[in-house]
Each structure stands twice: as C-alpha cells, then as structure tokens.
Amino acid sequence: MEIKTVAVLGAGAMGNGIAQVCAQSGYNVIMRDIEDRFVEKGMNSIKKFLSRSVEKGKMSQEDMDKVIARIKGTVDMAPIKDADFVIEAVIEDLELKKKVFKEVEGLTRDDVILATNTSSMSITEIAGSTGRADKVIGMHFFNPAPLMKLVEIIKGLQTSDETVKVTWELAEKLGKIPVLVKKDTPGFIVNRLMMLQLMEAIKIYEEGIASIEDIDKAIKAGLNHPMGPFELMDLTGLDIAYFVNEYFHKEMNQELKFVTPHTLKSMIRAGRLGRKTGRGWYDYSK
C-alpha cells in the first residue's frame, strides 16, 4: 500500500509535532482538530519550530515553505476520506478515542490503517470500537515528536502482521527508530518504566530523603537523563502523570507500586499542573 497522505487527528503538542514530521518527510498531511483556534495554534507551533531551523541554517526558507504547504489544517472531518494512513493524537480519554475511531472508520477506505498515539491505553479496546480491528495499531511518538527518535509500535490482540509491517516502514521513513511491543499492556515499554520512576521520585521527596532539586540533579547527573523527574512532570503536566498512573493502577489489578502518592493529588487540587499553569513542582510565573 502506497502512503501519500497522512491524517493527524489533533493539533495539540503531539498532533502538530507528528504532522510536522510527516510533512518534512514528504507526505501530504491533513491536521484536524475540533476548533479553528486549536488548528491555528498547531500551525503556529509548526511555523515557529521550522523558523528556528531556518535561523540556525538547518533548512532553507524555501524548504520550510514547502513543508507548510503540505499541511492542511481543518476542523472538518470530511477531508479524512483522502487519507492513506490515520494517526489519532487526541487527549488521553479512552471513550473519546473510541468515538473518534468509530467515526474515522466510516470515512476512510477499508484498507486504511488507523493508528493511535496513546501513551498507555489499550489498543485492543480502541480497536473494538471499529469493524476492522486488524487495521488498528498503536504508534506512540514521544514529545517533542520532531526531535525524539523513538516510536513504539503496539500490537492489539487482532492487529495483523501486515499492519505492523506497514506502520514499521512508515516510522522508518519518518526517520524514527521503531520498537515493537508484542503484547498490549498499559504503558507499553517506556511509560511503564517511567511512571514507576516518577512516582518513586515523589515518594523519595515525601519521605524527606532529598529535595526536589537534588532528586532532579541526581537523575540528570547520575543516569544522564536530559531532565529530572520533577522537571519532566512539569513539562508534560502533573494531571497527565496522575491520569496515566491511575489508569495503570486500575489495569494492573491495583498493584501497590502504582498507587498515586498523596502529594501529587494535592498539587493537582491546588491547580499546580506544571508549566501550562505557571506553577508545578517549580515556579514558572516569574
């Protein structure tokens, strides 16, 4: 199957990043969101990112213009009918994802693969909302998508080998490093390991073992991570960390290691969600 046009559902941080990666790799892109302001914000994020690349001499203005020209922003679902491959990148709400997949199935050709960028949720359950579970797959990009090389490719219970093959080849054409998650389990590889690290970091702080600053410093200097766990939570959102961990706790038969620390719940109740609210574990309001 030849892929010429990729539809990306969602123009947020992940959606616009994926759309940019696809357009830079030569694909025509349909980037759809529910409101014009979200689409406009997504397009502006792409232009800002590419403009920095032009300023740094990493690409020409002409190449940037070509990339932007390949992306069609829309609030209409109808253009999705022209897609050869669909990547869903809406918020981490299982019922919303199932609703989107059911709608997209009715608009696209039967041979079109429907991929979800979920970071932790069941591919099998999402696929169950469609009549073509063999064509549904997880394709988890990492934030920011234009810079991060990894893509987790996750098989649902009924995902076909052909669907895996096509998705793997697309990831490689996008310049990514794909890894195969053979079993559809919460968090897949990276987030299953990462969430334990994030929650343990909070527990170390709660127990008075070390400060937030020193925990972050230790992880960066000791494990060579680019960001510490608290810096990472502030970047992605404390609410996201909470929702994902709660999902793990539920799906992993309420294992104690996935119990959400009280301090994280308190931070969310106080509205301290990270960079997006100006305050999280650190203060960004100054």
Side-chain angles (χ1 to χ4, degrees):
M1 181 181 72
E2 185 179 8
I3 299 172
K4 293 182 178 180
T5 301
V6 178
V8 179
L9 306 179
M14 287 307 305
N16 72 62
I18 295 168
Q20 178 187 321
V21 168
C22 292
Q24 282 187 272
S25 300
Y27 295 97
N28 295 318
V29 179
I30 302 161
M31 184 175 71
R32 190 263 175 183
D33 213 312
I34 56 174
E35 293 184 27
D36 285 323
R37 62 191 177 103
F38 296 144
V39 175
E40 185 178 350
K41 186 177 180 181
M43 289 299 298
N44 287 337
S45 293
I46 294 170
K47 291 173 184 176
K48 186 177 179 181
F49 186 101
L50 294 177
S51 292
R52 286 198 296 266
S53 296
V54 172
E55 290 168 7
K56 294 176 181 178
K58 293 181 178 180
M59 71 186 306
S60 67
Q61 183 64 49
E62 183 182 1
D63 286 340
M64 172 182 165
D65 293 341
K66 287 179 180 177
V67 171
I68 296 298
R70 292 190 194 107
I71 305 171
K72 177 184 178 181
T74 182
V75 295
D76 190 2
M77 285 293 282
I80 306 300
K81 65 180 175 53
D82 297 321
D84 303 307
F85 195 100
V86 176
I87 303 173
E88 167 271 313
V90 304
I91 60 172
E92 289 289 81
D93 181 319
L94 187 60
E95 292 308 311
L96 176 60
K97 288 180 185 291
K98 287 159 70 174
K99 180 182 176 183
V100 168
F101 269 71
K102 191 171 184 62
E103 185 176 3
V104 171
E105 179 192 21
L107 293 170
T108 52
R109 303 188 313 270
D110 291 341
D111 65 329
V112 172
I113 291 171
L114 309 179
T116 173
N117 182 57
T118 182
S119 62
S120 59
M121 294 180 174
S122 172
I123 309 304
T124 302
E125 186 167 351
I126 293 171
S129 64
T130 76
R132 55 170 114 149
D134 62 312
K135 295 288 186 184
V136 176
I137 194 166
M139 192 179 190
H140 179 215
F141 292 77
F142 287 75
N143 192 19
L147 299 178
M148 299 294 282
K149 286 292 187 181
L150 181 65
V151 170
E152 290 178 321
I153 293 174
I154 309 101
K155 285 190 71 172
L157 185 64
Q158 300 179 72
T159 305
S160 71
D161 290 339
E162 177 62 21
T163 295
V164 171
K165 179 176 179 291
V166 171
T167 306
W168 184 283
E169 290 173 352
L170 175 61
E172 289 186 323
K173 288 174 183 175
L174 295 178
K176 301 303 181 183
I177 299 171
V179 294
L180 179 62
V181 181
K182 298 178 181 179
K183 294 184 179 180
D184 181 18
T185 57
F188 318 132
I189 299 171
V190 174
N191 278 342
R192 181 163 173 178
L193 291 169
M194 186 178 70
M195 289 309 299
L196 288 171
Q197 184 191 73
L198 297 182
M199 296 306 113
E200 198 61 32
I202 297 172
K203 291 172 189 174
I204 290 172
Y205 167 66
E206 281 184 338
E207 292 169 19
I209 295 169
S211 68
I212 287 171
E213 292 81 3
D214 279 350
I215 295 169
D216 275 348
K217 193 185 298 181
I219 294 300
K220 288 188 287 185
L223 296 180
N224 205 28
H225 288 196
M227 303 180 78
F230 293 98
E231 291 171 323
L232 181 59
M233 282 185 277
D234 274 356
L235 177 66
T236 57
L238 275 67
D239 51 338
I240 301 299
Y242 171 77
F243 290 135
V244 172
N245 201 65
E246 287 291 298
Y247 178 76
F248 281 11
H249 188 230
K250 174 175 172 285
E251 291 294 315
M252 295 291 197
N253 299 315
Q254 317 236 327
E255 287 186 31
L256 286 176
K257 64 183 178 182
F258 288 113
V259 171
T260 302
H262 178 73
T263 303
L264 179 57
K265 295 178 182 178
S266 295
M267 294 285 282
I268 291 170
R269 288 169 185 152
R272 295 179 60 165
L273 306 183
R275 288 181 178 272
K276 60 188 173 185
T277 59
R279 294 184 75 193
W281 300 109
Y282 295 96
D283 188 349
Y284 304 93
S285 61
K286 298 174 184 177

